[in-house]
Amino acid sequence: SSQMNSNEQHTIYIVDDHDMLQIGLKNFLESKSDSKVIGTAKTIDSTKALLDSKLPDLIIIDVELANENGFDLAAYIKTTFPDLKIVMYSMHDENDYILKAKELKIDGYISKASESEEFLKCIKNIYSGNSYIEERLIQNQKVIDEAMCLLTKKESIIFQEMIQGKSNAEIGKILNLSKHSVEVYVTTIYEKTGIYGYALSSDDYQEGYASWIYSYGGTMIDYDPLKSGWDKPETIEAMELLDTLL
């Protein structure tokens, strides 16, 4: 990918359905980097209209737009304007988001919880023609990539559904497998990789909200039980807790 002219101010579009976040990000980028935000949008259609009138150097897209998915917009841009640089950002560190970003060859992926310095580092890297995934998320991705290498094609497909927070029953429905067949696959995946994936769901939370737990080599990765409770439990305690919930 080509390097952008460093002497000129870089132009940016921000796509986010929250006004305050748009304003905050615009002010931050314009005061801390050589960037000029020349357009903002809240929906995929309004973004397409902006892109038809003028192309920026970079577009920053929120993954979770109101009733829309930012990845759908990113896929459209990659097909229609392949040279336009894209940064996806999100409130959540979902592993499937990172997989999706890699699959679409997105230039940057960062969470809204990242430090401001890291956001600037991400933008700077992309202006230089490189890609960037937030450092904190790379370790999780490394674990997933290593696990994928150990699995057959069918196991990999099931594993990708697992890390998207889907239950065995849901996976069975999607892949047209019996719940028992999925359970056998999940057991094999655990035996091969040492990664547990259990959905913890609760009626008190939004529909289908699932928090997942990964155990790898005896350490917990990215376990945040609905943003409360204990942070990084010992594996044994975690498994005992899960047994009571399942």
Side-chain angles (χ1 to χ4, degrees), residues 96-191:
D96 57 305
Y97 285 174
I98 302 168
L99 285 173
K100 187 81 177 154
K102 285 180 80 173
E103 194 183 299
L104 288 172
K105 296 185 167 55
I106 301 298
D107 303 282
Y109 183 90
I110 198 155
S111 73
K112 289 181 181 179
S114 66
E115 296 290 329
S116 55
E117 285 309 311
E118 185 152 30
F119 205 105
L120 293 175
K121 191 176 171 185
C122 172
I123 303 284
K124 203 173 176 184
N125 263 272
I126 289 163
Y127 286 158
S128 306
N130 302 312
S131 59
Y132 190 88
I133 291 181
E134 185 179 341
E135 284 168 18
R136 196 166 49 88
L137 307 178
I138 290 173
Q139 185 54 41
N140 288 12
Q141 191 54 48
K142 221 181 265 177
V143 169
I144 289 167
D145 289 345
E146 283 172 15
M148 296 280 266
C149 292
L150 303 170
L151 304 175
T152 64
K153 196 173 180 190
K154 187 79 169 181
E155 288 163 359
S156 295
I157 292 166
I158 288 166
F159 182 61
Q160 290 199 45
E161 297 296 339
M162 281 167 59
I163 62 175
Q164 288 179 52
K166 295 193 175 78
S167 69
N168 291 353
E170 287 171 319
I171 295 170
K173 211 170 176 185
I174 294 163
L175 301 176
N176 204 16
L177 292 167
S178 71
K179 190 175 175 221
H180 175 70
S181 298
V182 176
E183 282 164 3
V184 172
Y185 274 114
V186 168
T187 304
T188 308
I189 289 166
Y190 169 66
E191 284 169 354

Side-chain angles (χ1 to χ4, degrees), residues 191-204:
E191 284 169 354
K192 283 186 175 183
T193 66
I195 295 180
Y196 277 97
Y198 290 112
L200 309 176
S201 52
S202 160
D203 295 336
D204 301 335

